[in-house]
Amino acid sequence: MVQARSTLLKNARDDRRMSDKELRGAAINDTDSSQLYAKTRCECIRAWVEIPCTLRPKLFNNLQLLVFTSLMLLLASTMWSLLFLEAHMPIRFWHRLLHATALLLLWSCLVGYLEHNQHIFSIVLTLKWGTPRVLQFLLGVSPIFIGYALFGTMYFGNRIEGFGTLSNSMITLFSLMNGDVIMDTFDAMELHHFIVSGKVYLYSFTSLFTYVVLNIFIAIVEEAFFATQSTRRRLRDYLSDHRMFRST
């Protein structure tokens, strides 16, 4: 009886020692894992900081960001409708703007799913290649356009309604650049006795922006389109050669 009791006590001590060792081991493992997690996190943060700011946006998928933005706007519009229900359709200005922007972005996201069809996706590739150059060109030519608009507002604004304000002048010049209201503007110049100065103003603007600026704009877009076509053709040839090499 005494021997059995001593055996039980010895086994209990051994079990207690084993459990203590296991607890210490688990604590050490938890400490090591937490230290490893903290070290990995610090390395990730350090690696993210070392990446240049110009390369960070390229790590994200633009389509997913666009979908996320549109869904968040739709969520905000829905919550607005639930909290401030006034009609079945949004009637406030900012509510309509929020809802319309969300729908526009959401439908624009559908273009990303056409990426696998290169013939349909060519317009997106053309815009992707040509948009930076077009923006640079527009930025360079915008001072001339604004200068013409300011001149028209200051010189013709007190008599001609189309040049009454800076906004109206820019709208009139944009219409002239696209071939609209040309005769109406010339007639308004002659009607208000701007015969020489008005014709010089309109002829110079039309010649510069219609024959030079628009043609350069079209040339930039065409260059981007042909560049995408050439890249797609080279990629198709490379893939066909690679398949032929693997088959042989």
Side-chain angles (χ1 to χ4, degrees):
M1 189 72 180
V2 175
Q3 186 177 1
R5 184 180 298 175
S6 62
T7 303
L8 291 174
L9 291 174
K10 184 178 180 181
N11 292 333
R13 292 194 201 97
D14 294 338
D15 293 338
R16 191 179 300 111
R17 290 172 184 172
M18 291 295 295
S19 61
D20 292 339
K21 290 181 180 179
E22 291 177 356
L23 290 174
R24 293 194 195 97
I28 293 173
N29 292 331
D30 291 339
T31 305
D32 294 339
S33 61
S34 61
Q35 291 178 355
L36 181 62
Y37 174 75
K39 184 178 179 180
T40 306
R41 185 177 180 182
C42 292
E43 291 178 354
C44 293
I45 295 174
R46 191 181 303 111
W48 174 259
V49 172
E50 291 176 355
I51 297 175
C53 297
T54 56
L55 297 179
R56 290 179 187 177
K58 296 182 180 180
L59 300 177
F60 299 97
N61 191 342
N62 295 328
L63 178 62
Q64 293 179 356
L65 291 177
L66 191 61
V67 171
F68 177 77
T69 304
S70 59
L71 291 178
M72 291 301 296
L73 291 177
L74 280 178
L75 178 61
S77 178
T78 304
M79 294 301 297
W80 193 334
S81 299
L82 292 175
L83 295 176
F84 305 100
L85 184 61
E86 297 179 1
H88 295 288
M89 290 294 293
I91 58 175
R92 298 182 181 180
F93 171 75
W94 292 109
H95 193 184
R96 293 198 308 270
L97 179 62
L98 183 67
H99 201 81
T101 305
L103 292 176
L104 174 62
L105 294 178
L106 192 61
W107 277 94
S108 300
C109 295
L110 295 178
V111 180
Y113 297 99
L114 303 176
E115 185 175 1
H116 301 287
N117 191 333
Q118 296 295 332
H119 296 284
I120 301 177
F121 198 66
S122 59
I123 180 64
V124 180
L125 295 178
T126 303
L127 292 175
K128 184 178 180 180
W129 283 51
T131 299
R133 295 185 179 182
V134 168
L135 292 178
Q136 292 176 1
F137 176 71
L138 292 179
L139 183 63
V141 79
S142 59
I144 304 175
F145 183 82
I146 295 174
Y148 268 94
L150 289 172
F151 180 87
T153 304
M154 296 298 296
Y155 190 68
F156 308 116
N158 60 340
R159 295 186 182 181
I160 301 177
E161 184 180 358
F163 295 93
T165 61
L166 181 61
S167 177
N168 290 339
S169 298
M170 296 178 73
I171 293 172
T172 302
L173 293 178
F174 187 79
S175 300
L176 287 171
M177 186 171 57
N178 288 278
D180 298 331
V181 300
I182 295 179
M183 292 301 300
D184 296 337
T185 308
F186 273 97
D187 292 339
M189 292 290 184
E190 292 184 358
L191 181 63
H192 294 88
H193 307 290
F194 295 111
I195 299 175
V196 178
S197 59
K199 288 183 178 180
V200 171
Y201 175 80
L202 293 178
Y203 278 131
S204 61
F205 177 82
T206 305
S207 301
L208 178 61
F209 279 86
T210 302
Y211 301 132
V212 178
V213 174
L214 285 182
N215 285 322
I216 295 176
F217 182 84
I218 294 172
I220 293 174
V221 177
E222 285 184 352
E223 182 183 1
F225 177 76
F226 289 126
T228 56
Q229 296 295 321
S230 177
T231 303
R232 190 180 66 183
R233 193 180 304 111
R234 289 198 301 268
L235 180 61
R236 185 173 60 249
D237 295 339
Y238 173 77
L239 292 177
S240 61
D241 295 340
H242 185 66
R243 290 171 183 171
M244 291 178 61
F245 177 76
R246 291 184 61 183
S247 61
T248 56

